[in-house]
Amino acid sequence: MRPARFVTLCFLYSGVVLLTQYLIVHRFALGLGGLARLGVALSVFGVGLIRLRSPEIEADNPAEFGAFAYGMAALSVLLTLIFLAQLWLA
């Protein structure tokens, strides 16, 4: 898999996890925390959609994505763990 595609999938996955977290944990709350989480979720998911629609903009050189791809993978795993912990504690 190309690193650019992997990073795009990480953006989409993280956006879905954050949106699900907003829906389950905040239950459509319109407070400051809920709206901030919803805004971040939609922004991250939107970036993933933009990257998915314009793959020719991304460079194909894997050296340019090294730390960024690892960071996105770590972010995706961390968001999943936080979400599962919130479900378990709730």
Side-chain angles (χ1 to χ4, degrees):
M1 176 182 294
R2 291 188 1 239
R5 178 64 65 178
F6 177 74
V7 170
T8 300
L9 292 176
C10 284
F11 269 110
L12 290 171
Y13 176 77
S14 297
V16 168
V17 169
L18 287 170
L19 187 59
T20 305
Q21 187 178 28
Y22 167 75
L23 294 174
I24 292 175
V25 174
H26 288 282
R27 294 185 175 91
F28 301 102
L30 296 178
L32 183 60
L35 289 177
R37 188 167 307 223
L38 179 63
V40 169
L42 293 177
S43 298
V44 170
F45 189 73
V47 168
L49 288 178
I50 290 170
R51 289 176 60 99
L52 190 63
R53 292 195 61 188
S54 306
E56 66 276 355
I57 294 174
E58 301 299 328
D60 289 329
N61 186 0
E64 294 181 14
F65 282 94
F68 187 56
Y70 289 122
M72 284 303 296
L75 174 69
S76 298
V77 169
L78 184 64
L79 285 174
T80 303
L81 291 175
I82 290 171
F83 176 60
L84 292 175
Q86 282 183 329
L87 287 179
W88 186 65
L89 294 173

